Amino acid sequence: MVAAASMVVAVGSAAGMMSAFDDGRGSDRAGPAMTRRAVVRPLPVPPSTPAEPPAASVTPSPTRPSSAAPSPAPATSTRKPTTEPAPARLYRHPDAQVLDWIAAHPDDPRRAVIASRIADRPTAVWFADPSPSTITARVRAVTSDAATEGRVPVLVPYAIPDRDCGGASRGGAPDLAAYDAWIDAFAAGLGSGEVIVILEPDSVAQSDCLTEGQQADRFASLARAGRVLKAADRRARVYYDGGHSGWNPATKQASLLDQAGAGSPEGSDGIFTNVSNFQRTTDEIAYARRVLADLGGPASLGAVIDTSRNGNGAPADGQWCDPAGRRIGQAPTLTTGQARIDAYLWVKPPGESDGCKGTAGVFSPSYAYDLAR
């Protein structure tokens, strides 16, 4: 990954993970082709569900690199963003930072635009605290609430060791054994309903800071994580880190994904792209299809694309930190009308800063307003 991409991941990740831990108010956030295949690790005995108190709110933020070769950015469009109703099946978490801001600022002149074009959309829920003591209850709080509403939650586990390669979103579990235990506890909270899991943004595309042996070990844990999650909930759909169209070439990304188990239906439903980034949806569709073709595996494998901030594409100057002139993109939906593209999702909550228009991971009303208007 290029330097610019690394920096984006660093702060981008940091920027959205705030609500994923400390009751949703904590801080912290959200490689070369290998010749070795990851060693297959055995699945655990299904973990017992610990008796934990109800989880507090979880509000996330993403981590995505900015494009190495961004698409030329057109002049800021004056068109209004999509305003169609949010899909009935995607879950909107009630404890999102944007909702807190709206409730606290009834007279702010920006409120109506932010409320109607961002707050009304379902976004992903991030989990970045590597401590397993409350993770089961936190996941269960989201999945059970979604099940009650008859909706599909989007969950983002973000606790892989050496997260963000020591960048601004550094952190994660202390080692892979601890991570495996964390994933077991995470899976115990899934329940039996339909759920979408965006497994560890940056963990595959940004693995080049690791040695070959460390990469193989990480990929083994990721492959195991997919199997654990799908074994715990047969209706869970698990997607692996596909980077984005301005990062690794499709062939290289597919090779890394193959080592991480993304081509095996036992633990994977496909890939995700563009998390916390700005690449145009059309570019991501073409890129995702190339990666899937190179990855192989069954034709049932698909892709999901983060469209939260890509309405105007990537900035021409390669800016990654809250760049000006960006716009929210396609509204979240599970119906794309595109072959092998399973969903457009808002994985990065729009308005949560990368660190330039506010504190990384914290909702910035000025940034949200710029994206929405």
Side-chain angles (χ1 to χ4, degrees), residues 60 233 371:
D233 179 1
L371 289 169

Side-chain angles (χ1 to χ4, degrees), residues 55-273:
S57 65
V58 183
T59 306
S61 252
T63 139
R64 204 79 326 224
S66 89
S67 132
S71 307
T76 303
S77 172
T78 57
R79 292 180 300 154
K80 290 184 178 180
T82 307
T83 56
E84 70 217 34
R89 296 190 65 227
L90 281 170
Y91 174 71
R92 186 180 67 139
H93 195 268
D95 194 43
Q97 291 185 57
V98 62
L99 296 178
D100 291 343
W101 181 85
I102 286 172
H105 298 83
D107 300 321
D108 193 295
R110 300 165 295 185
R111 184 180 185 277
V113 170
I114 293 173
S116 64
R117 298 178 184 172
I118 292 180
D120 280 353
R121 308 297 186 198
T123 57
V125 182
W126 290 66
F127 299 85
D129 184 351
S131 170
S133 60
T134 61
I135 190 63
T136 299
R138 290 185 177 194
V139 173
R140 185 184 297 117
V142 174
T143 57
S144 61
D145 190 43
T148 298
E149 295 183 10
R151 298 195 176 199
V152 180
V154 179
L155 311 180
V156 185
Y158 189 59
I160 198 79
D162 298 313
R163 186 177 68 203
D164 193 33
C165 290
S169 299
R170 69 176 63 86
D175 53 47
L176 289 172
Y179 178 73
D180 291 348
W182 186 84
I183 282 291
D184 295 346
F186 187 102
L190 291 179
S192 58
E194 188 176 358
V195 60
I196 295 172
V197 179
I198 304 299
L199 181 61
E200 297 293 344
D202 307 329
S203 61
V204 176
Q206 194 189 19
S207 62
D208 55 348
C209 65
L210 305 175
T211 67
E212 182 175 327
Q214 289 171 333
Q215 283 181 321
D217 289 342
R218 171 182 285 191
F219 294 157
S221 272
L222 288 171
R224 176 190 181 278
R227 299 195 306 273
V228 167
L229 294 165
K230 290 183 71 67
D233 179 1
R234 295 299 180 183
R235 299 181 67 194
R237 288 190 274 165
V238 179
Y239 295 89
Y240 284 71
D241 173 29
H244 61 66
S245 59
W247 201 344
N248 292 327
T251 300
K252 174 180 179 178
Q253 190 65 27
S255 174
L256 296 172
L257 285 162
D258 181 51
Q259 296 168 68
S264 170
E266 182 185 15
S268 172
D269 292 272
I271 66 172
F272 61 83
T273 76

